[in-house]
Amino acid sequence: MKILPIRIFRWIEIKLNKVRRMIIVLKPKTKKEDIQKVVEKIKEKGLKPVEFQGDERIVIHVLGKVTDDMPAPFQSMECVEQVMRILKPYKLASKEHHAQRSVVKVGDVTIGNGEITVIAGPCSAENEEQVMKSARILKEMGVKIMRASVFKPRTSPYDFQGMGIEGLKLLKKVGEKTGILTETEVMDVRDVPIAAEYVDILRVGARNMQNFDLLKEMGKIDKPVILKRGMAATIKEFIMASEYILMNGNKNVILCERGIRTFETAYRNTLDINAVPLLKQETHLPVIVDPSHAAGRRDIIPAICKAAISAGADGLLVEMHPKPEEALSDGAQSLNPEELKKLLKELKPVCEAVGKRMSI
Ligand code: PEP
Ligand code: MN
């Protein structure tokens, strides 16, 4: 019985929170000084403004507790088109209030604009020869972004832990030599700014999806971030995690479904294909799929990739190793070069069937 008042209080709090969030849509061609006036007014009220520049309009998300009387003064401003209250717990990621889909640009690649972006490469960077060979193989196939982890989240501390900073330097060198863009995971807050100097895309792995300090740090860099879904995270928790990166200023977030843990042991994880259309429905962020960590075995990867594209994914993150049988991590789920080449060929008509193009 004692717990009841707390529950009632929590319920009221949740209800109130539902009407305590807002976004301000400015009229097209609003002048800089008028935008500044809106921003100042938000700050005067002790709230935090986050600006989003759309094609035509600027949308300002207001972060903090918005009381019921707050929308009115903004509504009456000449440059304001609309003030809306947000009902979803997530704001910056929400499609409801950022109707236009976000497109992430990296080098000459755009992710989320109707093309299927393939990011492929070894689970881990192992040595210069292996990384260089991987990059050359991928470039030849037309793959423009290479994944290769240098900080490895291994279940066993006795397994290969990755090349660390040396690996970052290697990725930069290989990137410069071959022209391929690079992507890697960062596990430690302290490594975020360092990694951002060496690679083109940073990744938050499944195990760190709710490492909030890491997410905040990822929000402060100007490189795109791939955020992987935690292995036991709900869709809401996943989107809320992206909110941490977005609210700290980094708008280039890509969500990655990589399978969740279920009772099934026939494969490493269970790819939650439902997540793809739902994330696209709920958020404006690009959504990609990692079939490799979902499957844990290479034989079903081509079929999963086709399902992911059919479900609306904007891209794939696939493990490929020049010699999977010699890989220091995840060899069993890594495609060999021939298998990847064949897969890319098979994916083309699937992309076309859903009105997309392979960016290869
Ligand atoms: C990875 O992509 O290298 C990885 C470790 O995957 P996940 O974080 O999804 O387990
Ligand atoms: Mn791996």
Side-chain angles (χ1 to χ4, degrees):
M1 280 303 280
K2 267 194 182 156
I3 206 123
L4 198 62
I6 297 171
R7 280 208 182 141
I8 291 171
F9 177 72
R10 182 79 192 112
W11 182 82
I12 293 168
E13 198 184 48
I14 289 166
K15 286 277 161 204
L16 286 177
N17 266 335
K18 282 193 169 178
V19 293
R20 278 177 169 178
R21 300 156 193 269
M22 68 174 180
I23 66 159
I24 300 169
V25 183
L26 302 184
K27 287 182 183 158
K29 299 192 182 117
T30 297
K31 288 194 196 110
K32 269 199 176 128
E33 53 264 36
D34 290 332
I35 302 170
Q36 201 48 36
K37 277 183 200 154
V38 179
V39 165
E40 289 307 323
K41 209 174 184 125
I42 296 168
K43 286 185 181 164
E44 271 166 31
K45 294 182 186 298
L47 302 165
K48 186 181 171 196
V50 181
E51 280 176 51
F52 274 90
Q53 174 75 61
D55 271 355
E56 284 192 357
R57 289 171 176 75
I58 287 185
V59 174
I60 305 177
H61 287 245
V62 181
L63 307 181
K65 296 257 164 166
V66 178
T67 52
D68 286 352
D69 57 338
M70 278 181 189
F74 293 99
Q75 249 144 7
S76 59
M77 289 176 90
E78 182 55 33
C79 63
V80 171
E81 188 168 272
Q82 210 182 354
V83 181
M84 292 186 284
R85 286 170 170 175
I86 298 181
L87 297 170
K88 303 269 185 197
Y90 29 87
K91 308 182 219 186
L92 304 179
S94 172
K95 195 172 154 204
E96 198 182 359
H97 300 287
H98 192 276
Q100 209 184 334
R101 298 217 65 83
S102 284
V103 173
V104 173
K105 293 192 179 76
V106 49
D108 60 348
V109 179
T110 44
I111 306 169
N113 69 340
E115 288 195 345
I116 299 294
T117 309
V118 178
I119 304 170
C123 177
S124 306
E126 298 169 2
N127 53 59
E128 184 159 351
E129 197 199 332
Q130 175 248 16
V131 178
M132 187 59 85
K133 200 164 182 191
S134 303
R136 294 222 160 102
I137 290 166
L138 293 168
K139 278 287 283 186
E140 212 181 287
M141 288 181 202
V143 175
K144 295 184 180 120
I145 311 174
M146 175 174 69
R147 60 149 290 146
S149 300
V150 300
F151 303 111
K152 290 303 303 166
R154 305 306 298 275
T155 303
S156 166
Y158 307 112
D159 288 340
F160 177 59
Q161 299 290 304
M163 292 181 74
I165 309 271
E166 283 313 304
L168 289 178
K169 291 180 184 161
L170 180 55
L171 289 180
K172 191 175 170 78
K173 184 174 164 190
V174 171
E176 282 168 357
K177 271 199 172 168
T178 63
I180 202 156
L181 297 161
T182 53
E183 186 267 7
T184 205
E185 174 169 358
V186 179
M187 298 198 293
D188 190 315
V189 174
R190 293 166 295 186
D191 292 328
V192 174
I194 304 170
E197 279 179 35
Y198 290 100
V199 298
D200 301 294
I201 305 177
L202 272 57
R203 177 184 352 122
V204 177
R207 287 153 195 82
N208 275 311
M209 189 206 83
Q210 281 189 318
N211 180 338
F212 300 116
D213 286 337
L214 182 64
L215 298 175
K216 285 180 203 163
E217 213 53 34
M218 289 288 193
K220 295 177 194 156
I221 57 164
D222 64 357
K223 294 274 165 87
V225 174
I226 293 182
L227 175 65
K228 284 192 150 191
R229 181 179 182 184
M231 57 187 82
T234 63
I235 295 291
K236 186 174 154 190
E237 287 164 342
F238 188 20
I239 301 175
M240 290 311 279
S242 75
E243 205 80 11
Y244 274 90
I245 307 174
L246 294 166
M247 77 173 287
N248 279 283
N250 191 345
K251 314 238 160 63
N252 294 309
V253 179
I254 301 154
L255 300 174
C256 179
E257 162 61 38
R258 47 77 73 200
I260 49 173
R261 192 170 269 197
T262 67
F263 56 82
E264 187 53 73
T265 55
Y267 22 80
R268 191 169 174 179
N269 290 289
T270 299
L271 180 69
D272 180 11
I273 201 76
N274 301 6
V276 178
L278 195 59
L279 290 169
K280 298 227 27 170
Q281 202 171 291
E282 290 291 300
T283 80
H284 55 86
L285 304 172
V287 178
I288 63 168
V289 166
D290 171 352
S292 309
H293 293 86
R297 47 191 284 175
R298 71 172 68 83
D299 56 347
I300 56 174
I301 287 174
I304 301 178
C305 290
K306 289 168 196 162
I309 293 172
S310 308
D314 297 295
L316 299 164
L317 180 67
V318 191
E319 285 185 338
M320 185 286 302
H321 194 287
K323 287 186 185 158
E325 59 288 356
E326 289 174 18
L328 295 183
S329 61
D330 289 347
Q333 68 195 32
S334 300
L335 301 180
N336 66 33
E338 277 314 303
E339 286 166 333
L340 180 63
K341 200 171 171 186
K342 184 166 175 273
L343 171 62
L344 296 178
K345 207 170 157 203
E346 285 174 16
L347 291 179
K348 280 199 174 161
V350 183
C351 295
E352 278 156 25
V354 293
K356 290 190 177 159
R357 263 188 333 112
M358 281 260 278
S359 77
I360 282 183

